[in-house]
Structures are given as C-alpha cells and as structure tokens.
Amino acid sequence: MKKRFVLLLVPMLLGSLLAYLPTIIYKIAVPVNTVKPEAITYQRTISYIGQVEPSDTKEIYLETAVIPSNIFVEPGDYVRKGELLASIDTQLTKTVLAQGVYTSDENQTLKEKKLLEEYGKAYGLTDEAAAQVFNTRTTSPVQRSEDALFIPSDLFSPMDGIVTQVNLSADTLCSPNKAAIVVNSIESCKVTIQLRQSDVDEIQVGTAALIQGEGLNGRTYQAVVQKIFPTAQKEYNGFTSETVVQTELIVYDWDENLKSGYSVEVVLMPEEPVKYFSLPYEAVCQDKDNTEYVLVAQNGRAVRRNIVTGVEMPEAVEIQSGLSFWDDVILSPSGLEENQLINVRGEK
C-alpha cells in the first residue's frame, strides 16, 4: 500500500516541479537587453568656430577730402553696379581744399627755412648752398590752382551688393583717410577660421565642410576650403597661445540668413564617409589582461566571445573580428558572469 502511494506521489511531485521549473528559472535568470552588430556609415569631422564674411568687398576711396551735397544710400541698402551713391559739391570742396593746401604748404616752408638757416650757421653756408645740399627750395609757395584739384562730382557703385559702410555726411568735409563707402557682394560669402597647427596636415584646398549655427533658421550650408594662408600666427587665450593658420571657406548655397559678421560652427570633413561593422561602447568589456570581449545571449545563457576592435567613433566602435550580424550581444553586461542564466527582455 505504502509502495503504491509512493509510486503515485513521486510522479505528482515531479510533475509539479516540472510545472514550476520555468518560473524558478525565470526568477533566477538575470534580465538583459541585447543588440545586434550593424554596419554604420561614419564621417570623421573636425569642428571650428568661424566668422562669416562677404566673398568680395569693394571700398570706395577718394584722393582728397570732399564735401558731399547728397548721400543716397545707407548701410543695409541693396545697390546695382553703376547706381548713384552720393553727389559731391565740387566747387565748395575745391575752394576749401585750396585754402587748406596753401596754409599747409606755407607752414611746411617756414619749417624748412628755419632748418636751412640752422644748418647754414653750423657749416658756414649761405641759404642757397644749404638748399642745394637738401635739394629743396626756400622760395615762397604758389597757391595751387583750383583747377589742378580733381574732385569727382558723383560716386557710383562698383558692383551689385549691399552697402555696409557710409563714411560721408552731407555738407561736411569728409576725410579721405578711410573708405567713403563700402559695398559687399551678395552673390556668395566666405567663412574664415583659424586652423590649428595640429590639423594642418589633414585639411587642404577642396576639403568639404558644413556651416551651421544659431540664427540660420535650422539650415546647414555646404562649403569647401578655398584658401589656406601661407604663413602661421600665434593666437593668444589668456596666458596660453596656439599656432594657427588663417583659412577661408567658400559657401555654395549662401542665402540672406547667413549674414556677414555671424559666428558659426564649421564642421570640416577631411575624409570620405566609411562603413564600419560596429557595436555600442556599452556592449564591450575588457578583462584584466586587456582582452576585449562581449557576452552573447545563447540558449538562455551569457556566452563569452573575444573580439578585436578598430576605429573608435562618437557612439560606437568598429568590430574587426569575433562577431556576426546575427549575434545577440548583451548590452551593459557588468555584473554578469560567463554561462550565467539570462532572460532576454528585448533587443535595441
């Protein structure tokens, strides 16, 4: 009777144990997420902060000071080549300049005469002999003729563009020491960066780049290195300095959002895009012997696979050997041991 009861009880217990075995294993197994290796296209980049500048600038300089009668433009105006920018009161300008030239020449002559007198006394020379030594003259200046002064009556735009500077004021004598009017091209623009010496070997004329930044309505512009200056210079930042080379990039798809004077991010692309078989960094481990490996989900267990890595990218690393596209690699496997029971929650 007892034997029959035992024979009946054992199968029942075994059946119950088998029924609960998956639940027991599930509770013992460590939950994990997995990821499959994938091929990604990686473009290595180098970033700089650059300054937007017009690709062409025309500065209108005058040989003499002038008195404008009318100024027809102001900074920000769009002008066409040959368009009238300002009119000059030539008669008033000549009169004022002639008076100023005579006074200036007279003062200069008095200085020269005094110098010659001191020189003649020192060496026992007459004024004429001293003048011959200096190859100069001591006669009184003759007032310059008004007709000898060339004063333009009108100023015209040298090209299509945007007026960026107007250094003239109506009915005011304006100095020739700086450009009277500056016009910037609107056909394209350039971006200037200070290329670090450490990057000079990788960047050359023709290197592609992207231009992006704030105030551009989310646009990204295509550019290419157009000019690398032949000399280097020191760029100081506090107590430290860095050797840099001025470099210019031309922007192909320029528009009005890319304003002259803006600071922008320049992303240089010194190499062609390359495809890599890769894994996220958080899936890769390293043992005490510096051997790199991963844990692969296989038949409910964590199985170790030694790997060889290559190029390091911002968010992933190249896998040169040890894995295939079909392997389920465990993410963030810290704390897991080889052959440990695992429960795969999902794939990322």
Side-chain angles (χ1 to χ4, degrees):
M1 185 70 179
K2 288 183 179 181
K3 288 183 180 181
R4 186 179 297 176
F5 178 74
V6 170
L7 291 173
L8 290 173
L9 183 60
V10 169
M12 292 176 62
L13 291 173
L14 289 174
S16 299
L17 182 60
L18 290 173
Y20 282 101
L21 187 58
T23 303
I24 296 172
I25 294 175
Y26 181 82
K27 290 183 178 180
I28 296 175
V30 177
V32 297
N33 291 311
T34 62
V35 62
K36 281 185 167 60
E38 63 176 348
I40 63 172
T41 300
Y42 173 62
Q43 172 73 70
R44 194 172 73 83
T45 61
I46 305 173
S47 293
Y48 281 86
I49 298 299
Q51 188 83 12
V52 180
E53 300 176 3
S55 61
D56 188 18
T57 299
K58 299 294 185 184
E59 298 179 332
I60 302 174
Y61 278 91
L62 301 173
E63 295 182 1
T64 63
V66 297
I67 300 176
S69 56
N70 290 291
I71 301 169
F72 303 107
V73 293
E74 59 184 21
D77 287 349
Y78 172 77
V79 293
R80 293 284 188 181
K81 183 177 181 179
E83 183 176 334
L84 180 63
L85 304 180
S87 295
I88 307 300
D89 190 331
T90 56
Q91 187 58 45
L92 180 59
T93 299
K94 287 181 180 181
T95 300
V96 171
L97 288 182
Q99 293 174 352
V101 167
Y102 179 80
T103 302
S104 175
D105 285 350
E106 185 176 36
N107 291 338
Q108 181 63 26
T109 301
L110 290 174
K111 292 179 182 179
E112 291 177 357
K113 185 176 181 180
K114 184 176 181 181
L115 178 62
L116 289 173
E117 288 176 354
E118 294 177 353
Y119 184 84
K121 288 179 182 179
Y123 293 94
L125 300 174
T126 64
D127 289 350
E128 291 182 358
Q132 290 179 358
V133 174
F134 277 90
N135 194 25
T136 184
R137 61 184 174 84
T138 59
T139 57
S140 299
V142 178
Q143 183 173 351
R144 187 180 299 178
S145 170
E146 292 182 6
D147 295 334
L149 295 174
F150 173 73
I151 309 296
S153 59
D154 297 299
L155 301 181
F156 299 96
S157 176
M159 65 176 181
D160 294 351
I162 299 291
V163 176
T164 57
Q165 292 183 42
V166 177
N167 298 313
L168 298 173
S169 298
D171 302 321
T172 303
L173 185 65
C174 300
S175 170
N177 294 332
K178 55 184 177 180
I181 298 176
V182 179
V183 181
N184 288 347
S185 169
I186 62 168
E187 293 181 356
S188 62
C189 71
K190 64 184 178 182
V191 175
T192 301
I193 62 172
Q194 301 301 324
L195 187 66
R196 294 182 289 269
Q197 182 178 350
S198 57
D199 295 331
V200 168
D201 289 341
E202 297 188 75
I203 306 302
Q204 57 190 349
V205 173
T207 297
L210 299 176
I211 309 298
Q212 56 195 24
E214 297 180 353
L216 305 180
N217 289 332
R219 277 209 59 182
T220 297
Y221 298 85
Q222 306 290 326
V224 67
V225 174
Q226 178 180 249
K227 182 178 181 181
I228 300 176
F229 282 58
T231 58
Q233 59 190 18
K234 291 287 186 182
E235 187 176 66
Y236 293 90
N237 184 12
F239 295 103
T240 62
S241 65
E242 187 176 23
T243 302
V244 296
V245 179
Q246 185 168 325
T247 302
E248 292 180 356
L249 299 94
I250 190 71
V251 182
Y252 287 128
D253 50 350
W254 173 89
D255 63 18
E256 66 277 3
N257 291 318
L258 201 59
K259 294 179 172 56
S260 179
Y262 269 11
S263 291
V264 292
E265 182 186 5
V266 179
V267 183
L268 295 165
M269 297 177 286
E271 300 174 357
E272 292 294 325
V274 180
K275 279 192 175 182
Y276 293 104
F277 183 60
S278 67
L279 267 180
Y281 284 107
E282 56 265 35
V284 179
C285 304
Q286 192 175 55
D287 62 20
K288 61 182 180 180
D289 297 323
N290 294 325
T291 300
E292 292 179 309
Y293 69 93
V294 296
L295 293 178
V296 176
Q298 188 173 322
N299 299 324
R301 294 186 179 274
V303 178
R304 171 169 170 156
R305 294 272 188 86
N306 290 342
I307 60 172
V308 175
T309 62
V311 176
E312 294 182 353
M313 294 162 277
E315 298 180 358
V317 62
E318 178 191 11
I319 305 300
Q320 294 182 340
S321 65
L323 291 173
S324 70
F325 283 102
W326 300 276
D327 288 319
D328 292 315
V329 181
I330 298 172
L331 279 170
S332 303
S334 58
L336 281 179
E337 296 180 359
E338 189 176 357
N339 292 320
Q340 187 170 353
L341 288 171
I342 57 172
N343 173 32
V344 178
R345 286 183 169 179
E347 182 179 310
K348 294 191 176 181

